[in-house]
Amino acid sequence: MGSYALALSPSKPSIKSFSQPFQRFNCRFGAIFHPSFLKSTHHLSHAIGLSFSSSSLPNNCSNACKLASQRLYEFKVRSAAEGMNEETSTDEKLQTLQLGCMFAMWYLLNIYFNIYNKQVLKVYPFPVTVTAFQFGCGTVLIFLMWALKLHPTPKLRRSQLGPIFLLALGHTAGNLLTNISIGTVAVSFTHTIKAMEPFFTVLLAALFLGESPSKWVIASLVPVVGGVTLASFTEASFNRIGFNSAMASNLTNQTRNVFSKKLMVKMEGTLDNINLFSIITTMSFLLLASAAILLEGDKFSPSYIQYAKSQGLNVKDLCIRFLLSGFCFHTYQQVSYMILEMVSPVSHAVGNCVKRLVVIVS
């Protein structure tokens, strides 16, 4: 019986016979020809005495590898883009929900403010003192917020005081004029006149912010102006002082909103909307408190309170409504400023116009 010895050597017939299976191999298994696999195969061939060159590998398998790698890369990029789109869509939905809740809170607080404010002005018709007290309630709440560290205290620069003081002047005048109007005419009529706010906002935004209104915006203002004009002619409680005060408050409030938006953009990162409104409120209280003492100081003296009691005034009831109106006054305006940071002045004015309708109905 013969014995045979098998010796592997890098002879030409061996290479030729060994390369045949690779040529018949299905190229769908192109991962075999990945450089890392070829490198390990090269070391293995030296270990067992085999050698072959990469030129012996079929070209169609190499192309399949490249195509598979490219498709894998495209799949990863597409998956990442879809993930970012889903995340962006979720953020937008949350922001829309937050904005809707803030609008609802703004409207609700404004309804209660107008009810309590009208009740106070009916029995205590001194708008300067009432407005100063409302600013005073807001100032107390602001200092409590800073003292309890519910919000960081602002760091003001001297260059910021001038523009903020001008905003405080507009804020003071706008709220005082609104209270004068509410004290002399019906609440519904005051808010009907104040529905003209979008008109003043578009005008002021075009003058100071360079925002040109579209034809559709201008067309939408025509029925607003016409409706206010018609309501003014047919209003039974029409009073010239109440009408002029409401129109003047439109101008001052929307001037404040436009310049506040401009100031928010300039001071972004140094002063947020909460602290900006807080500083404006504190300045307004200091401005109006002195005016209230000079103009109506005798109206909250002990002798006048005794006289009011004799006329049937319930002082305890009045004080409760004073406090409630002051709390609602500050909180609704704070929410209004927070909304103003999130939307444009024109969108804010449109939302304010819808708020007028809600207040009139309530």
Side-chain angles (χ1 to χ4, degrees):
M1 196 172 192
S3 62
Y4 299 93
L6 179 61
L8 295 176
S9 63
S11 60
K12 187 174 181 181
S14 299
I15 297 173
K16 185 175 182 181
S17 62
F18 193 77
S19 64
Q20 291 300 323
F22 282 96
Q23 292 178 359
R24 294 193 300 270
F25 197 76
N26 194 334
C27 289
R28 284 180 295 179
F29 298 93
I32 295 175
F33 302 105
H34 194 273
S36 60
F37 179 81
L38 292 177
K39 187 176 180 181
S40 60
T41 307
H42 178 70
H43 289 299
L44 180 62
S45 66
H46 277 288
I48 64 175
L50 286 174
S51 68
F52 55 90
S53 63
S54 60
S55 60
S56 63
L57 301 178
N59 290 330
N60 55 350
C61 291
S62 178
N63 292 335
C65 292
K66 293 179 180 178
L67 182 61
S69 300
Q70 184 179 358
R71 286 181 178 174
L72 179 62
Y73 174 75
E74 290 175 354
F75 173 76
K76 288 181 178 180
V77 171
R78 192 162 54 247
S79 299
E82 289 174 357
M84 290 177 65
N85 289 336
E86 289 178 1
E87 187 177 350
T88 304
S89 177
T90 304
D91 291 342
E92 288 177 354
K93 289 178 181 177
L94 289 174
Q95 188 174 8
T96 303
L97 180 62
Q98 180 189 7
L99 191 60
C101 292
M102 290 173 68
F103 266 97
M105 189 184 300
W106 183 26
Y107 290 2
L108 184 64
L109 289 168
N110 199 265
I111 289 169
Y112 280 106
F113 163 70
N114 279 277
I115 292 171
Y116 293 132
N117 196 35
K118 183 64 177 178
Q119 289 174 348
V120 168
L121 288 168
K122 269 187 177 181
V123 297
Y124 195 81
F126 307 109
V128 180
T129 302
V130 171
T131 311
F133 182 83
Q134 289 166 353
F135 281 131
C137 288
T139 303
V140 171
L141 292 173
I142 288 164
F143 279 100
L144 281 174
M145 175 186 71
W146 287 338
L148 297 174
K149 300 187 183 301
L150 299 176
H151 194 78
T153 54
K155 296 179 181 179
L156 278 175
R157 294 194 296 266
R158 186 172 295 180
S159 59
Q160 295 174 337
L161 290 175
I164 294 175
F165 180 74
L166 293 176
L167 291 178
L169 281 176
H171 185 64
T172 305
N175 287 283
L176 176 59
L177 290 166
T178 300
N179 279 345
I180 291 172
S181 179
I182 290 175
T184 53
V185 297
V187 174
S188 57
F189 183 53
T190 298
H191 284 279
T192 301
I193 300 168
K194 286 176 75 64
M196 284 277 288
E197 282 182 345
F199 171 79
F200 288 99
T201 304
V202 170
L203 179 64
L204 294 168
L207 290 174
F208 298 107
L209 299 181
E211 296 179 1
S212 300
S214 64
K215 294 179 181 178
W216 294 108
V217 172
I218 295 173
S220 67
L221 292 176
V222 174
V224 173
V225 176
V228 172
T229 304
L230 181 62
S232 300
F233 279 114
T234 58
E235 175 59 36
S237 64
F238 181 84
N239 180 288
R240 189 172 294 278
I241 295 175
F243 176 82
N244 291 336
S245 299
M247 289 297 289
S249 72
N250 281 338
L251 181 61
T252 53
N253 281 333
Q254 295 316 301
T255 303
R256 178 205 64 189
N257 285 348
V258 169
F259 282 102
S260 292
K261 185 69 175 181
K262 195 173 182 180
L263 196 63
M264 284 177 190
V265 174
K266 282 185 178 180
M267 296 192 302
E268 189 174 359
T270 61
L271 193 66
D272 60 13
N273 64 84
I274 294 177
N275 280 333
L276 176 61
F277 177 72
S278 299
I279 295 167
I280 289 173
T281 300
T282 306
M283 286 184 175
S284 297
F285 170 66
L286 296 174
L287 286 169
L288 209 55
S290 55
I293 293 170
L294 289 173
L295 298 174
E296 301 171 353
D298 60 323
K299 300 301 186 294
F300 48 87
S301 62
S303 58
Y304 183 82
I305 297 296
Q306 290 298 325
Y307 169 75
K309 278 184 178 181
S310 65
Q311 298 298 315
L313 177 66
N314 190 327
V315 178
K316 181 182 177 181
D317 211 30
L318 178 63
C319 291
I320 292 172
R321 280 167 172 72
F322 250 124
L323 290 171
L324 289 172
S325 68
F327 174 78
C328 293
F329 172 80
H330 176 74
T331 49
Y332 101 75
Q333 297 220 32
Q334 178 67 79
V335 175
S336 173
Y337 250 74
M338 293 169 69
I339 292 172
L340 181 60
E341 189 182 36
M342 301 172 68
V343 300
S344 68
V346 175
S347 299
H348 187 274
V350 172
N352 212 7
C353 190
V354 176
K355 182 198 73 179
R356 307 292 175 201
L357 175 62
V358 175
V359 171
I360 288 169
V361 172
S362 63

